[in-house]
Amino acid sequence: MVHVCYSTRVSLSPAFLDELRARTLLSALVGKSVKLTKAGREFKGCCPFHNEKTPSFYVNDDKGFYHCFGCSAHGDAIRWMTEQRGLPFIDAVKELAQSAGMEMPAQDRQAVVRAERAKGLHEAMQAAADWFEVQLGGLDGAEARDLLTRRQISDATRRAFNFGFAPDARGKLRTALKDFGDELLIEAGLLIKVEGKEPYDRFRGRLMIPIRDPRGRVIAFGGRIIGAGEPKYLNSPDTPLFDKGRTLYNLDKAGPASRKTDRLIVVEGYMDAIALTQAGFADVVAPNGTAVTEAQLERMWRLADVPILCFDGDAAGQKAAIRAAIRALPDLHPGRSLSFASLPEGQDPDDLLRARGADAFERVLQNTKPLVDVVWQHELGTTPLHTPEERASLGKRLRDHARQIKDEDLKSEYLATFNRRVWDYFHPERPSESFHSFKSRPSTRPIAPRVRAIAQFGIDQVTMIPSVIKGLILHPDLIAPKAETVQRLPINATKLRLTRIAMLDAVLSRPTLETDELRAILKGEGLADVLNQMDALTLAFSFLNPQSDKAVAERELTLAIDALVDGPAFEADIADAQSRLNEWSDQDFDDYVGLVKTKQDMERLFRDALLPEDETPVV
């Protein structure tokens, strides 16, 4: 990574500047001089960079930038200090660092030299882009211009993206840029050095596409072959300016557009991104001929919470999509994911645009798939599913994917979703979440104060959760159909959480397990002490009594699980349904009656259990 120097005295690394931005609460900084009000996840106010009466200036703390939709002012905390406060860059950094409690880096003269070197590289790359553009307009560029015409690239788009042409010669660029010297041109990736021979031009006989950094500076090139030949696209090598795995093509143009649309489209190739921009989809980027990397994902998420990946509709494109989905899993968060747009088989975005127009592509974007669906469909089609071993392997692969997610809440949701889908796929005659309705039976037993509290959904989880887990072990047929809800049980005790994981894994791999087999598996997982404590439970639930009617026990166990997971929401649901009764809708009335009945059933279940006072908690 190149250090960038902003003065002759202090060297500031990208890591230092990123940490400085992360430690600075932008809304508090901007709020010192602009009156801001909360607007959802952002803050808004009147723009300080132009006169306005209606607020169009927004500050986003999560993404660390401000943006005005009136005058397009945009920047981070450092730019705010330089543009609004008028401070020199280094003074702005020093003031922010002092506020954030960070020490400024010590003087680094080597970084000064590197910064001057980087400046020369930028100048050389821009000079090369200008020279390539001139060649495209000359006699030698006729075939390249014809290629652009066939791809329906307009002159305006050609100029906007600074298309160029590299003549099919070994030394023309080297001669044109000789003032920079061979060493610098080699370092920039423009010349190739061969031991014992003269350096020669890297790009020859190709349509040239400049690759720019977020500030719009040329840092590399993509060269497309004009006629037949391999490779079809040739990229610049990694250089001090260009890290292929961290760069997104067209980010300099797509960034501002994405902030306005709150959307980011990701396609495979340069020409796709260019064609889409020409068709009016300005918020589009592309990786640089590589699989999507973690660094590129982070750059995407800075612009949109759920970028849309729209890869080619062929086998290679679908393979790239699933690689991106799996690579994204560890860094998913609630609200932050990926979605996937499916193109017609054998077509890329450019093909679709030329054949059917922008409206057809917009329809593709309106029918995206969430990441969870992409992973599910991929694993479903990976291997045959005829044998128990193959079916068990499907469940294991899906759960392994889910466990890659670092966020615990989201991991639980993915595990629950995959568990439910595996069960439903192999047991369509007995879908999950199907054990809900049963006839309520009245009770005349007195209600103790402790039980009354439980009936109002202030459920005693210390005793109830172990009872439900014990009930599931005694009735393993219920585990797979209720897997999603079981995954959502509010379990705090570590050993009980481990028991749930081992129990779900065992039953979802072998749906026909009996209680004794399941207990043996749990003991093998080191959970014998948990089983012993649960064996001591004496609550008067039918599902804890081996002599109870199996159907009644399973229905009541289902109700207990639902009460633990969804009970607190019933009061709000009942109130909402009640508020709509004035409309005398049959459906509203049915909803209301159903909710009240379910609540009564839950109250009856816990009331009849008559919790004893000497219950032993499982920890």
Side-chain angles (χ1 to χ4, degrees), residues 422-432:
V422 169
W423 174 265
D424 287 349
Y425 186 79
F426 294 115
H427 303 84
E429 77 290 347
R430 190 185 178 193
S432 60

Side-chain angles (χ1 to χ4, degrees), residues 257-274:
S258 177
R259 293 181 185 105
K260 293 180 180 179
T261 63
D262 196 27
R263 178 183 73 178
L264 186 68
I265 305 166
V266 185
V267 294
E268 283 191 68
Y270 311 122
M271 297 302 291
D272 293 326
I274 293 166

Side-chain angles (χ1 to χ4, degrees), residues 508-585:
L508 290 168
S509 298
R510 296 170 58 192
T512 59
L513 275 179
E514 298 290 341
T515 295
D516 290 343
E517 295 174 296
L518 179 55
R519 287 177 63 90
I521 291 173
L522 296 177
K523 288 180 180 179
E525 294 287 335
L527 299 167
D529 57 334
V530 178
L531 293 173
N532 291 336
Q533 291 185 56
M534 286 192 293
D535 286 343
L537 293 172
T538 58
L539 295 181
F541 286 114
S542 62
F543 53 79
L544 297 183
N545 183 357
Q547 306 304 317
S548 297
D549 179 80
K550 180 177 175 61
V552 172
E554 288 191 348
R555 288 196 297 266
E556 295 200 354
L557 177 55
T558 295
L559 189 63
I561 294 169
D562 290 342
L564 285 166
V565 173
D566 298 320
F570 269 98
E571 294 288 354
D573 290 341
I574 291 172
D576 178 65
Q578 202 166 21
S579 71
R580 291 184 275 114
L581 286 179
N582 292 332
E583 302 171 11
W584 291 106
S585 160

Side-chain angles (χ1 to χ4, degrees), residues 1 142 163 227 245-246 311 406 429 432 442 456 555 559 584 619:
M1 177 66 69
F163 278 99
R246 302 183 66 85
F311 290 170
K406 297 174 185 175
E429 77 290 347
S432 60
Q456 295 302 316
R555 288 196 297 266
L559 189 63
W584 291 106
V619 296

